[in-house]
């Protein structure tokens, strides 16, 4: 398909060729269910495919003891976050988060608030960054049962001081849950290195996998304190009418997205062989080119950071000459694909001062070319 895809913060595109090939191969040549057959070659192949992907994820995300059993597959990070928050937080508990969160965090928290969970939102600065000393002040004054925060903003790309937050959470004994939607596959991450209670990921962004994949990397003691959101058949303990406590079955009822797992597994191989440093370096180069062009453009207001330090290549802008919805529409007519509006993150836009109008979000990816960046800048300037 023609077009200049600059909406990689929503989902990365194109995917590496090997992803579609692996999915096709599963559907055409494999196709058995997982743990729900016999010991036929087909059944064993599927079981190995799933285990293999768990092993890769546990290693990639620095899982505790690299244990593949502490990896849960979900359909996306929204499900991952819901599994963790709704399974752990009970009425009377208190949760803390930041003002830069996506609704994947905010909506479950607000729903839980309606059921008696206390929710505190720490305000970030005008570039969307959490100030660790603000967090420390809050944690030292009130006892919280859980903290949840994104590693980077899907609106302005600001990377949060996750290491500082992890240290503070460890100091005050608060389990920390990370939303890595915008950084997984680009920045290095280690669940055990950071001491995270749960690292939530989505497969279809920086990990380059297909939509419909995601998961959780658990700290084992925390996982034992979380109730499963969904219960049902696991292909194991079929004599029991109660959900098994064993991992990974506890949080994985129903047939998983097996073609998706095949694609994600191939995508992880691609990310590993390409290397995070190369991926991040490429995204930074493109970001620098786009940012310097936008900063030179008269009548364009950029929100968030105005340099490339501590950020992802995600740029929210408004222009004097048209609202961001009109800009996106006009740009798409000449093939430039972006995303206007509020990006499922009203609180983040409030923090950046772009609520309620939102912004035009431009997010190049690993496969974007320099000429697409230049073409976009020229097109935006000529609208
Ligand atoms: C920071 C952040 N969290 C959560 C999500 C939700 O991701 P998904 O739709 O894959 O569940 C997104 C998607 O844009 C995101 O950027």
């Amino acid at each position: 398909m023609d077009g200049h895809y600059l909406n990689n913060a929503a989902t990365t595109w194109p995917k590496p060729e090997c992803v579609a090939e692996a999915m096709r191969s599963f559907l055409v040549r494999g196709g058995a269910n997982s743990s729900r057959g016999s010991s036929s070659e087909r059944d064993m192949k599927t079981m190995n495919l799933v285990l293999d992907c768990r092993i890769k994820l546990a290693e990639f995300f620095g899982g505790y003891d690299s244990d593949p059993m502490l990896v849960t597959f979900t359909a996306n990070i929204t499900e991952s976050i819901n599994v963790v928050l709704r399974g752990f937080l009970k009425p009377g508990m208190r949760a803390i988060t930041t003002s830069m969160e996506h609704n994947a965090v905010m909506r479950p928290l607000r729903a839980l608030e309606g059921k008696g969970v206390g929710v505190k939102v720490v305000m970030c600065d005008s570039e969307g960054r959490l100030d660790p000393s603000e967090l420390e002040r809050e944690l030292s004054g009130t006892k919280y049962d859980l903290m949840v925060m994104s590693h980077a903003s899907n609106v302005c790309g600001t990377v949060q001081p996750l290491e500082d937050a992890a240290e503070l959470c460890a100091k005050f004994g608060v389990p920390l849950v990370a939303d890595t939607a915008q950084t997984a596959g680009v920045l290095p991450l280690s669940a055990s290195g950071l001491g995270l209670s749960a690292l939530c990921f989505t497969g279809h962004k920086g990990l380059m996998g297909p939509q419909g994949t995601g998961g959780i990397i658990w700290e084992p003691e925390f996982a034992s304190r979380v109730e499963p959101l969904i219960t049902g058949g696991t292909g194991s303990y079929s004599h029991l009418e109660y959900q098994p406590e064993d991992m990974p079955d506890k949080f994985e009822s129903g047939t998983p997205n097996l073609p998706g797992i095949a694609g994600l597994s191939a995508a992880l191989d691609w990310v590993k062989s390409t290397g995070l440093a190369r991926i991040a370096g490429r995204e930074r180069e493109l970001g620098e080119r786009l940012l310097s062009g936008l900063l030179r453009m008269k009548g364009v207001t950029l929100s968030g950071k105005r340099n490339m330090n501590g950020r992802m290549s995600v740029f929210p802008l408004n222009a004097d000459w048209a609202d961001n919805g009109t800009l996106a529409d006009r740009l798409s007519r000449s093939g430039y694909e972006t995303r206007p509006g509020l990006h499922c993150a009203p609180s983040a836009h409030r923090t950046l001062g772009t609520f309620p109008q939102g912004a035009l979000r431009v997010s190049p990816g690993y496969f974007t070319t320099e000429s697409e960046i230049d073409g976009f800048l020229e097109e935006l300037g000529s609208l």
Side-chain angles (χ1 to χ4, degrees):
M1 201 162 83
D2 287 342
H4 305 290
Y5 187 75
L6 296 171
N7 194 16
N8 287 274
T11 197
T12 50
W13 189 87
K15 307 294 182 190
E17 279 291 316
C18 60
V19 175
E21 272 163 30
M23 296 177 78
R24 182 178 158 77
S25 167
F26 176 79
L27 289 167
V28 173
R29 287 193 280 278
N33 207 331
S34 165
S35 308
R36 288 153 173 91
S38 61
S39 54
S40 72
E41 196 185 332
R42 187 187 303 279
D43 289 319
M44 295 314 288
K45 262 179 116 169
T46 299
M47 281 177 69
N48 284 335
L49 168 84
V50 175
L51 178 60
D52 198 37
C53 191
R54 273 191 221 286
I55 291 171
K56 289 179 197 171
L57 286 164
E59 189 203 284
F60 184 80
F61 283 120
Y64 290 84
D65 294 327
S66 300
D67 184 352
M69 298 301 123
L70 296 173
V71 176
T72 292
F73 286 110
T74 62
N76 49 52
I77 195 171
T78 302
E79 185 184 328
S80 307
I81 294 166
N82 271 270
V83 165
V84 176
L85 299 186
R86 291 177 188 266
F88 182 75
L89 291 167
K90 301 281 171 291
M93 286 182 164
R94 282 199 193 92
I96 182 165
T97 191
T98 86
S99 69
M100 288 303 289
E101 303 309 313
H102 187 279
N103 272 343
V105 167
M106 286 303 189
R107 286 183 175 174
L109 283 182
R110 292 302 180 201
L112 286 161
E113 192 175 30
K115 294 181 176 162
V117 173
V119 174
K120 170 70 190 178
V121 178
V122 180
M123 195 66 188
C124 295
D125 68 20
S126 60
E127 293 185 342
R129 190 170 188 277
L130 174 71
D131 177 354
S133 59
E134 279 289 315
L135 178 63
E136 178 155 30
R137 205 172 6 262
E138 195 53 52
L139 292 180
S140 57
T142 306
K143 175 74 192 125
Y144 287 96
D145 298 284
L146 178 133
M147 169 147 196
V148 53
M149 65 181 281
S150 56
H151 190 198
S153 162
N154 67 308
V155 175
C156 63
T158 299
V159 177
Q160 297 294 11
L162 187 61
E163 294 79 7
D164 295 343
E167 257 179 47
L168 288 168
C169 284
K171 178 173 163 190
F172 292 100
V174 181
L176 176 60
V177 178
D179 167 352
T180 68
Q182 291 295 330
T183 54
V186 184
L187 300 185
L189 274 159
S190 170
S192 57
L194 288 164
L196 299 178
S197 293
L199 180 156
C200 299
F201 65 91
T202 209
H204 66 102
K205 299 189 196 252
L207 290 179
M208 296 288 188
Q211 294 82 11
T213 58
I216 307 164
I217 312 290
W218 297 94
E219 188 280 317
E221 199 271 332
F222 179 74
S224 73
R225 292 159 66 201
V226 177
E227 270 181 39
L229 200 58
I230 294 175
T231 52
T234 53
S236 62
Y237 301 97
S238 290
H239 60 297
L240 291 182
E241 289 185 5
Y242 295 93
Q243 188 73 5
E245 281 291 320
D246 291 5
M247 297 288 282
D249 300 10
K250 180 176 176 182
F251 298 108
E252 285 185 0
S253 295
T255 299
N257 176 3
L258 296 165
I261 290 171
L264 179 60
S265 195
L268 286 164
D269 291 341
W270 181 90
V271 169
K272 192 173 172 190
S273 65
T274 306
L276 291 187
R278 188 161 149 208
I279 293 170
R282 177 69 189 145
E283 293 197 8
R284 191 182 169 96
E285 263 170 27
L286 293 163
E288 260 159 10
R289 195 176 186 100
L290 178 57
L291 181 64
S292 64
L294 290 172
L295 289 173
R296 278 197 305 269
M297 206 174 280
K298 268 197 142 161
V300 166
T301 309
L302 258 179
S303 304
K305 285 176 166 286
R306 299 172 72 81
N307 58 55
M308 286 305 294
N309 297 332
R311 72 171 303 153
M312 311 302 287
S313 281
V314 179
F315 302 91
L317 65 93
N318 277 286
D320 282 355
W321 56 91
D323 67 76
N324 63 74
T326 306
L327 288 178
D329 186 40
R330 288 190 193 153
L331 283 161
S332 68
R333 285 184 214 174
S334 33
Y336 292 94
E337 299 167 52
T338 59
R339 185 178 177 203
L342 291 166
H343 315 100
C344 301
S347 174
H349 276 281
R350 278 197 185 90
T351 307
L352 298 172
T354 44
F355 188 89
Q357 78 274 19
L360 181 82
R361 185 182 69 184
V362 191
S363 49
Y366 182 79
F367 292 111
T368 304
T369 63
E370 274 79 0
S371 68
E372 287 183 298
I373 300 283
D374 298 347
F376 166 80
L377 289 165
E378 202 176 307
E379 195 61 34
L380 178 65
S382 73
L383 289 178

